[in-house]
C-alpha cells in the first residue's frame, strides 16, 4: 500500500469510527433541553475554564451550540462567569445590564466590535439577565477584560498572552468556573501553533498559555463546520473534510476517549483546520487555516456542524467578515 492509499484508509477508518461513536446534537434551539449535550458536560467535568472556540464567529448554528453549552454549564455544573473574547463588557455597560438590568442590551451592543453585534450574542445576554433575575443571590457574571490596549507594534504573540492573562486574572480574582467564548485560533491549545493569514506566524497562543497555567483545569472545545454561510466545502486535506463526512448533521466527539490505533493515528496526525478571520476571502479558502498541531493536541473535544447559516446582524447592519 502506498502512502496516499494508506492515508485514505486511515481517514476512512476515522470517519467510520466517529460516525458510530459521536454523540448527535439534536437542536440549535437555545431553549431546548440539554439531554443531548450532557456527554459533553461529563467530558469537561472538573475544568475551571471551558473554552468554546469557533472556526467562524459569523454563523448562527455554532453560536447557538455555544449558547446551549453555556446554559448547561451554568445550570448544572456551577459555572458563574462568561468571558466573551474581543471587547470589554464593562466599557460597554453589559456587565451592569446582566447583573442589574440597567440599559438596553441591543443599544449597548451597537458600540461593541462587529462580531458581538449579532442577534445570537444579544440572546446570550438576555438569557444571562433572565437567569440573574431568577436567582439574584447567585448571579452569572461577564468577565471584565483588560482596559489596556496592546502597545503600538504589538505582535500576535503578545496579544495572545494578554488574552490568557485576562482569563487567569479573572479566575484568580473571582474563583469562578468560567466559560471562555472565543475564536478557535485563540482557544486551541497551541504550544506553538501556526496561523496562515495575513502572513504565517508561529507562536504560543492563549490556549497554550491557559493549558500551561491550569493544566487539565483548562478544557478546549473546538467548534468546526463543513460549509455554508458563504463558505465553500473545505479542501480535501482539511480536518473539516473528514469531520463533515460523518453521517451526522451535528455532533459532539470526546477526543480523550479511547480509540482503535488506526483511528487514533488520524486524530493525532498533523492537522489543518479552517480559520475565518478579518482577512478571510472565500475565494481563497484554503489559504486561511490553523496548523502546527493535531486535533488531539488542540482540543479535548470537537463539536462539528455540517451546514451553517449566517449569524443575524443587529440594527440591520450588513454582515461582514469578523475577526477571530
Amino acid at each position: 500500500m502506498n502512502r496516499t492509499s494508506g492515508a485514505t484508509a486511515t481517514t476512512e477508518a476515522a470517519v467510520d469510527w466517529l460516525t458510530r461513536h459521536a454523540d448527535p446534537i439534536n437542536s440549535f434551539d437555545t431553549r431546548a433541553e440539554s439531554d443531548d449535550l450532557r456527554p459533553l458536560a461529563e467530558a469537561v467535568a472538573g475544568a475551571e475554564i471551558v473554552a468554546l472556540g469557533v472556526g467562524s464567529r459569523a454563523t448562527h448554528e455554532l453560536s447557538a451550540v455555544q449558547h446551549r453549552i453555556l446554559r448547561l454549564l451554568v445550570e448544572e455544573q456551577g459555572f458563574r462567569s462568561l468571558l466573551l473574547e474581543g471587547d470589554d463588557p464593562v466599557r460597554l455597560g453589559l456587565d451592569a445590564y446582566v447583573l442589574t438590568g440597567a440599559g438596553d442590551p441591543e443599544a449597548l451592543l451597537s458600540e461593541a466590535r462587529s462580531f458581538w453585534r449579532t442577534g445570537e450574542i444579544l440572546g446570550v445576554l438576555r438569557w444571562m439577565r433572565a437567569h440573574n433575575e431568577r436567582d439574584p443571590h447567585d448571579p452569572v457574571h461577564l468577565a471584565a477584560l483588560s482596559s489596556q490596549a496592546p502597545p503600538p507594534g504589538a505582535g500576535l504573540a503578545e496579544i495572545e498572552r494578554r488574552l490568557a492573562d485576562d482569563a487567569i486574572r479573572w479566575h484568580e480574582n473571582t474563583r469562578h468556573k468560567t466559560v471562555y467564548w472565543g475564536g478557535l485560533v485563540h482557544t486551541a491549545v497551541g504550544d506553538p501553533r501556526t496561523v496562515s493569514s495575513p502572513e504565517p506566524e508561529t507562536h504560543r497562543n492563549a490556549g497554550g498559555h491557559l493549558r500551561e497555567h491550569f493544566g487539565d483545569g483548562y478544557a478546549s472545545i473546538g467548534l468546526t463546520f463543513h460549509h455554508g454561510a458563504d463558505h465553500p466545502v473545505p479542501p480535501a486535506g482539511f480536518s473539516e473534510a473528514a469531520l463533515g463526512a460523518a453521517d451526522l448533521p451535528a455532533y459532539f466527539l470526546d477526543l480523550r476517549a479511547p480509540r482503535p490505533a488506526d483511528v487514533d493515528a488520524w486524530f493525532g496526525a498533523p492537522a489543518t483546520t479552517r480559520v475565518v478571520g478579518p482577512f478571510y476571502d472565500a475565494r481563497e479558502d484554503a489559504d486561511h487555516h490553523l496548523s502546527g498541531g493535531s486535533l488531539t493536541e488542540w482540543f479535548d473535544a470537537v463539536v462539528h456542524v455540517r451546514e451553517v447559516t449566517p449569524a443575524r446582524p443587529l440594527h440591520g447592519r450588513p454582515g461582514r467578515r469578523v475577526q477571530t
Side-chain angles (χ1 to χ4, degrees), residues 7 28 51 111 139 152 158 160 162 170 175 230 247 280 292 301 310:
F28 300 120
E111 302 300 320
E158 184 168 353
E160 296 289 339
R162 284 174 176 264
W170 180 260
R175 295 300 167 184
D230 297 328
D247 190 22
Y280 178 80

Side-chain angles (χ1 to χ4, degrees), residues 117-133:
R117 298 197 304 262
T118 69
E120 289 77 10
I121 294 293
L122 179 62
V124 169
L125 297 173
R126 286 178 168 162
W127 173 80
M128 292 177 71
R129 178 63 201 140
H131 179 278
N132 290 344
E133 285 182 312

Side-chain angles (χ1 to χ4, degrees), residues 42-85:
E42 293 170 4
V44 300
E48 292 294 313
I49 307 284
V50 172
L52 308 177
V54 290
S56 171
R57 301 179 198 254
T59 74
H60 169 70
E61 288 76 10
L62 296 185
S63 295
V65 175
Q66 285 177 296
H67 186 157
R68 292 191 64 212
I69 296 170
L70 170 67
R71 269 190 51 216
L72 176 61
L73 293 177
V74 168
E75 294 173 351
E76 301 187 14
Q77 299 288 334
F79 281 69
R80 286 298 176 266
S81 285
L82 170 64
L83 192 160
L84 268 175
E85 179 190 87

Side-chain angles (χ1 to χ4, degrees), residues 175-195:
R175 295 300 167 184
H176 287 180
K177 295 171 73 174
T178 300
V179 175
Y180 185 128
W181 177 304
L184 175 154
V185 70
H186 304 301
T187 62
V189 180
D191 195 14
R193 54 85 167 113
T194 298
V195 183

Side-chain angles (χ1 to χ4, degrees), residues 13 18 21 35 62 64 66 68 73 101 104 110 118 126 131 138 156 160 166 191 197 211 225 235-236 256 298 308:
L18 71 87
H21 289 85
D35 294 351
L62 296 185
Q66 285 177 296
R68 292 191 64 212
L73 293 177
D104 176 352
S110 70
T118 69
R126 286 178 168 162
H131 179 278
D138 189 18
L156 290 179
E160 296 289 339
D166 278 337
D191 195 14
S197 178
R211 176 58 57 81
F225 70 98
R256 294 179 294 191
W298 290 333
V308 296

